Amino acid sequence: MYSTPQKLSAEFIGTFALVFFGVGAICADQFLHGAGVGLFPIAIAHGLAIALMICALGHVSGGHFNPAVTIGFWVTKRMTTIEAVSYWAAQVGGAIAAAFLIRAVVPEETWRAVALGTPALTRDFTVLSGLILEAVTTFFLVFTVFATAVDDRNSSRPYAGFCIGLIIALGIMVAGPFTGGALNPARAFGPAVASSHWANQGVYWVGPLLGGFFAGLLYDSFFNRKP
């Protein structure tokens, strides 16, 4: 058993890694003017960051690194409200710290050009469409978390980290061109704080939290019922 400070520190570090490597890849792409990175490697960078952090720290905190995953655990009564809020605070704190670090070390003209990797809706893509896309992609992320990391009957449980990393990469490859593919309120909020870019921030909270809420509820109440 790990203490609360250890769990919260793990959530801080894991979310820090996601934002550091994810935003770092976006800034690298901008610095290279799209010649060396692109959508696919950016998606893989996010997925690998989460996969490796789950492998490294999942045994400490459960490896949420995402308020949408935490709300799935909360709605299924695997966490108390106080525990969930504490996880959210650690996740958001890690995201903000990573975003400010990237801002401090990357050339200003580079990070400003991409608003420090803050997710944004593409032109003519409506708020409702963005919310739905973020909700659906996050639904499958949290559904995968419950199927591979929570359900102890699943034979793929030892590979949960990489399964979760892959679904994040897939989600970003689909949603990235339209919404920026956050799939995670902390991933959107940290860079927004550091860059002061707040456009449509509600999309990246409401959509993922709804997706995580219903994914956790569905898997736990339907697929995870004991025979």
Side-chain angles (χ1 to χ4, degrees):
M1 295 294 293
Y2 290 88
S3 68
T4 296
Q6 289 172 319
K7 292 178 181 179
L8 298 182
S9 296
E11 288 296 308
F12 180 97
I13 293 169
T15 313
F16 183 102
L18 168 66
V19 174
F20 181 82
F21 290 110
V23 169
I26 292 169
C27 290
D29 181 53
Q30 173 61 28
F31 184 75
L32 296 171
H33 304 292
V37 186
L39 177 62
F40 181 75
I42 287 171
I44 293 300
H46 284 81
L48 280 176
I50 283 293
L52 295 172
M53 286 300 100
I54 290 174
C55 292
L57 295 170
H59 64 290
V60 178
S61 66
H64 296 191
F65 315 137
N66 185 340
V69 174
T70 299
I71 203 172
F73 277 67
W74 174 79
V75 73
T76 56
K77 296 181 170 54
R78 288 177 166 81
M79 302 182 76
T80 67
T81 300
I82 292 175
E83 288 172 332
V85 171
S86 298
Y87 267 48
W88 280 19
Q91 292 155 0
V92 168
I96 293 172
F100 272 106
L101 179 59
I102 290 289
R103 173 178 166 161
V105 300
V106 170
E108 183 174 354
E109 63 271 19
T110 297
W111 69 257
R112 281 198 183 278
V114 292
L116 205 63
T118 305
L121 299 181
T122 194
R123 182 177 297 180
D124 299 327
F125 203 70
T126 67
V127 168
L128 180 59
S129 295
L131 192 150
I132 292 171
L133 193 53
E134 286 288 321
V136 172
T137 50
T138 309
F139 173 92
F140 283 104
L141 163 58
V142 178
F143 192 85
T144 300
V145 170
F146 272 78
T148 62
V150 176
D151 192 342
D152 55 13
R153 297 170 295 179
N154 191 334
S155 60
S156 64
R157 197 176 186 194
Y159 315 105
F162 283 94
C163 293
I164 295 163
L166 285 173
I167 195 66
I168 288 173
L170 282 175
I172 292 173
M173 280 187 263
V174 172
F178 305 105
T179 68
L183 287 73
N184 182 334
R187 166 63 185 83
F189 189 75
V193 171
S195 67
S196 299
H197 185 79
W198 297 102
N200 300 305
Q201 186 68 199
V203 167
Y204 305 104
W205 281 89
V206 177
L209 290 179
L210 282 175
F213 182 95
F214 286 110
L217 202 60
L218 174 65
Y219 195 92
D220 202 59
S221 62
F222 186 72
F223 293 101
N224 206 28
R225 290 184 301 179
K226 302 300 180 184

